[in-house]
Amino acid sequence: MLLKEVLFFQNQLHQLIQHCAFKMFVIYIIIALFNAPVVFGAQQGKCDQTPPQAKVLIPSKNKGTYKLTIETNQQIPFLFMPDQTYVVTLQTQNNAKPFRAFMITAEDPNVDNTHDLGPNLVDVGSLKTLDTEIGRKSRYSERCYSSVENTDSSDKYKIEIHWISPKQSYTSQKIRLRAMVAENEEVWYTGGDDLIVMMEKDNHPPLDSPPHPPSPTCNLCSEARYEVVFQGQWSRLKHPYHYPSKPDENGYSHMVGASHSYNYIMWKQGLKASDGLKLLAEQADVTEMEREIINAMSKENGTRTLIRGKRRHHPYMAEPSQALFRVDREHHMFSIAVAMRPSPDWFLGTSRFELCKEDEWLEYYEIPLFPWDAGTMDGVSYESTPTMTQPVDVVKRVEVGSFNRESPFYQKNLKDLAPFATLQVKRLDVYPIPEEDCHQDQEDNSKRNAEEGDEDTEEMEALDEPQAAESRQSEGTCSVSEWSDWSPCVPDNGICGRGLQTRKSIKNGSTYNNHISQTHQQIGSRSNCNEDDAVRVQNRHCSINC
């Protein structure tokens, strides 16, 4: 009996020990998995580039035999722009020494100092293979994030891949491209100056950026008159890849825009297109956008001047389209847009171009223009059959650096792309405003200004017809008559539809048939005006119902 009890307790003890050992084993496995550098095919922390077949775990020293390079316009440090494509090359410098295995990794350099970085903690862009499916030599790595490695063990002399930089990145971001090459199972190399490329974000603004960022306030006690000139440059010579097959149908829409306040947004990268921009980009129709601009007109906010320039079609696309507009301390920036035809929903333009500087109005500036995508229609090329984008996307650059061979921007960077137009803005006149008028809260000063400056104010308001395209004649200080009545509306085409009205004013007290009223209000006293400047002309858009 005693022997049976002893055997029973031994059996229970044995089961208990087995049970505890199993629990300890499970806990060990959990801890091991939690701290493992590779989890389900993806690393935590820095990528271990040791070749899987390596029989020697310590890399050899590369003496310039193998080199990793990247094509950019800037050298040491290599600078990258957001959402651009760069060609990365790994090659041997000695044809007698090919390599059989390789790995290229894009990573955050800070991974050297921490070991718990998970996937997508820092956007380092992405790598894309360039090989075709047949005979391809590179593939996406299953061992490490943002990595490409060899598919076979054949001899290799040169490997090219693409690195697509992050769409958005913080100001001082650095990204490291690191390569490993292996000659065989015993000799392999990684790191060092020849197999590492450090990339830094290029903090210079894009080529088509205005010279100054938008400012919520403008402290200038003056108004200014500007001319904006759109000069087309889209041509088969400058943009030969997939240039439209029927160039006679090419063209730019009317240039449409506004001078406006800080809070008004006609269009902006990262925001969805308005109904007006959608119609403009898809059909080259400016009517809805003009309506949006006119409806937003306000003395203290919104828009001030509707900007409208002529449309240009082949073969006159290189001829300039220009317009005049006014700005003041409330409406101190401007935006414009011009549709490209044919295209799915592409347009050219500038958004929230700041004209107010700290001590004066901007005198002159010119920027190149590159295509924008309104985000409403899908299509990869000028003549693509467009389909509606579902869901509607935001306004962004046309996909420069595209991997689609049907795209006219296939593997093109912004700096490698010829401008599709240039935009010039020229200051023509500055109209000082009395200092006291800049402070509306001082009622006495405002009242005195109203009594002393009525005539000047009336003259500037006469020139500031919101829909008027102002003439370029110099005003000087000649005697100026009142404006005549607006002429009848003259349609652009046919007998109805959109057209133009004209009114005139004369200098030096002259008469001008029936366009000028019988009574002339003289402003200024100078009487030696040039004959060429004797008549001032203003135009505005009108419409006759069909």
Side-chain angles (χ1 to χ4, degrees), residues 325-368:
F325 65 93
R326 286 200 175 221
V327 291
D328 53 48
R329 59 188 317 215
E330 290 292 338
H331 312 87
H332 47 89
M333 54 186 66
F334 79 98
S335 302
I336 64 112
V338 177
M340 297 172 56
R341 306 304 298 165
S343 76
D345 59 346
W346 300 348
F347 68 98
L348 304 170
T350 188
S351 174
R352 309 183 79 207
F353 193 116
E354 180 63 76
L355 296 169
C356 181
K357 298 168 63 177
E358 184 176 349
D359 53 355
E360 64 174 347
W361 293 102
L362 180 70
E363 186 171 357
Y364 175 85
Y365 204 75
E366 178 177 328
I367 58 173

Side-chain angles (χ1 to χ4, degrees), residues 157-168:
Y157 298 88
K158 182 179 180 179
I159 293 292
E160 285 188 348
I161 64 172
H162 272 165
W163 175 63
I164 303 93
S165 58
K167 291 184 180 296
Q168 299 293 334

